Amino acid sequence: MSNAESVIFNSDSLEFRGSLSRTSWIQSLCDTGKKVFKYNHSDYNFDKEIIDLLKDRGFIHSSVRLDKIHEELSTDDMTVDVNQINNIVKTCYETNERIGNLYHEFIRKCVKPIMDDQIYFQKTPTFRFSFPKSIGMTKRDYHNDIMLGHPPEELNIWAPFTNSSQSKSFVILPLDKSLYLLKKFDYNLQSLHQAIWKDNKIKQFCDDNTDIVSLDKDEFLIFDSRCLHAAILNESEYTRVSMDIRIIRVNEYNNLPFTYIGTGRRKAKFTPDDYYHQNEI
Ligand SMILES: O=C(O)CCC(=O)C(=O)O
Ligand SMILES: [Fe+2]
């Protein structure tokens, strides 16, 4: 999630360029750089736990359906800031023990078995709430998380808890098109980001080539962190709730050329004692 003024990471180092142009693990599974995996959603009742959390924190009182919570929320709490973040997303930067346990189980049983290596994973997942026609959404959010300081070796995971078809989702530019843009801008993320905001041809290229991520509730997506993606305006009558997680295979982590640091306010270090969970689960 970025805006025209976001601080964008860049590095001239050969290793960084090598990371951006390498063949990744997910790319060798699937050349679009994204792959859908199945899991048993009903074993992971995030829906109820999120509703309970928002009730405990006084945001809602009676909702029983996650996709209808907007009916009880104030416009203020649903309006997004320059980073496309609203108050409900912010409150979920910290969750509770029950959600933490569910999350660990999801990582242990659904994600780890897919990997052929140990992984480090984001300590707290990001829960996204995209409200119907929410105020402040931009049409130019195209970014990848590397622009925000994440290692290119990370993988992004995205799992919906509500119906995620059409605008109740986000969009992603397939890997070949994302790599085409990265190469066109000589792997300079600042230049690419600037072009997204200033050059209508580049923005149009993204608009024309992105796919809407449309998943069932018992599916999640793993995508290459180099793929550009964007939050979009939800034009439906339903709230979209999803979880996004970043993971990195330990072997690749151990070979990173330097410590990556987030460009955001918190300056998160992408290390197992800061951004990633530290212990075995
Ligand atoms: O879910 C969204 O709207 C955006 C997700 C995103 O930017 C991410 O997963 O990194
Ligand atoms: Fe992102």
Side-chain angles (χ1 to χ4, degrees):
M1 321 291 262
S2 68
N3 61 65
E5 270 76 54
S6 296
V7 178
I8 299 299
F9 176 78
N10 201 46
S11 160
D12 291 334
S13 85
L14 280 180
E15 290 103 324
F16 182 66
R17 291 171 68 96
S19 292
L20 289 177
S21 55
R22 81 200 193 285
T23 301
S24 69
W25 171 80
I26 189 86
Q27 187 178 9
S28 59
L29 287 186
C30 200
D31 56 19
T32 55
K34 56 191 166 104
K35 191 166 161 58
V36 175
F37 295 87
K38 290 248 176 226
Y39 77 113
N40 201 349
H41 179 75
S42 56
D43 288 350
Y44 300 86
N45 207 343
F46 281 105
D47 316 32
K48 175 184 175 300
E49 296 301 345
I50 292 170
I51 286 182
D52 285 352
L53 180 96
L54 296 179
K55 281 184 181 160
D56 286 350
R57 296 185 182 174
F59 285 102
I60 56 175
H61 303 284
S62 59
S63 290
V64 286
R65 286 184 56 162
L66 205 46
D67 59 5
K68 286 290 175 188
I69 57 174
H70 57 274
E71 290 176 352
E72 276 196 84
L73 290 167
S74 69
T75 306
D76 244 21
D77 285 335
M78 293 190 283
T79 299
V80 298
D81 66 14
V82 288
N83 296 312
Q84 307 289 282
I85 304 288
N86 56 50
N87 285 349
I88 308 304
V89 175
K90 277 185 200 152
T91 194
C92 290
Y93 286 165
E94 254 181 65
T95 55
N96 57 25
E97 201 180 327
R98 287 205 303 276
I99 294 182
N101 290 340
L102 264 188
Y103 171 55
H104 283 179
E105 197 163 318
F106 174 79
I107 293 285
R108 194 167 53 240
K109 297 210 177 128
C110 306
V111 178
K112 280 193 163 189
I114 299 168
M115 300 294 145
D116 56 358
D117 192 1
Q118 297 288 93
I119 54 166
Y120 293 129
F121 58 94
Q122 187 174 337
K123 206 180 267 175
T124 312
T126 310
F127 291 100
R128 296 275 173 202
F129 297 78
S130 171
F131 296 111
K133 307 179 181 75
S134 77
I135 300 167
M137 290 297 293
T138 154
K139 294 208 161 115
R140 286 188 113 112
D141 180 45
Y142 298 111
H143 69 281
N144 60 32
D145 298 358
I146 309 164
M147 292 175 172
L148 310 176
H150 290 254
E153 282 76 2
E154 272 184 1
L155 290 158
N156 289 52
I157 300 182
W158 193 91
F161 301 138
T162 49
N163 176 305
S164 75
S165 57
Q166 297 179 344
S167 64
K168 301 185 292 295
S169 188
F170 76 120
V171 293
I172 185 163
L173 190 67
L175 186 61
D176 60 338
K177 303 279 187 329
S178 299
L179 290 177
Y180 163 78
L181 285 182
L182 284 167
K183 199 164 171 204
K184 183 177 170 71
F185 287 88
D186 197 24
Y187 300 103
N188 186 310
L189 300 180
Q190 285 159 351
S191 314
L192 172 56
H193 185 261
Q194 205 170 46
I196 288 168
W197 285 89
K198 303 252 165 75
D199 182 340
N200 286 340
K201 282 213 247 38
I202 297 299
K203 148 103 171 31
Q204 193 62 45
F205 177 86
C206 294
D207 289 347
D208 292 345
N209 290 291
T210 48
D211 302 318
I212 293 184
V213 175
S214 184
L215 297 180
D216 288 334
K217 276 176 72 169
D218 60 353
E219 293 177 326
F220 62 91
L221 181 76
I222 302 191
F223 64 94
D224 192 300
S225 66
R226 294 169 296 179
C227 291
L228 294 182
H229 54 276
I232 49 174
L233 178 65
N234 178 353
E235 302 199 85
S236 78
E237 300 296 321
Y238 298 92
T239 292
R240 179 262 288 193
V241 184
S242 54
M243 167 172 80
D244 45 83
I245 308 162
R246 287 132 202 93
I247 65 170
I248 187 163
R249 291 148 81 242
V250 168
N251 195 26
E252 293 194 271
Y253 176 84
N254 289 339
N255 286 315
L256 293 180
F258 44 77
T259 300
Y260 283 84
I261 296 176
T263 57
R265 188 182 43 83
R266 205 171 79 73
K267 302 269 174 292
K269 278 200 262 155
F270 296 107
T271 60
D273 56 0
D274 192 1
Y275 182 81
Y276 305 120
H277 186 78
Q278 193 164 24
N279 304 317
E280 260 306 301
I281 53 161

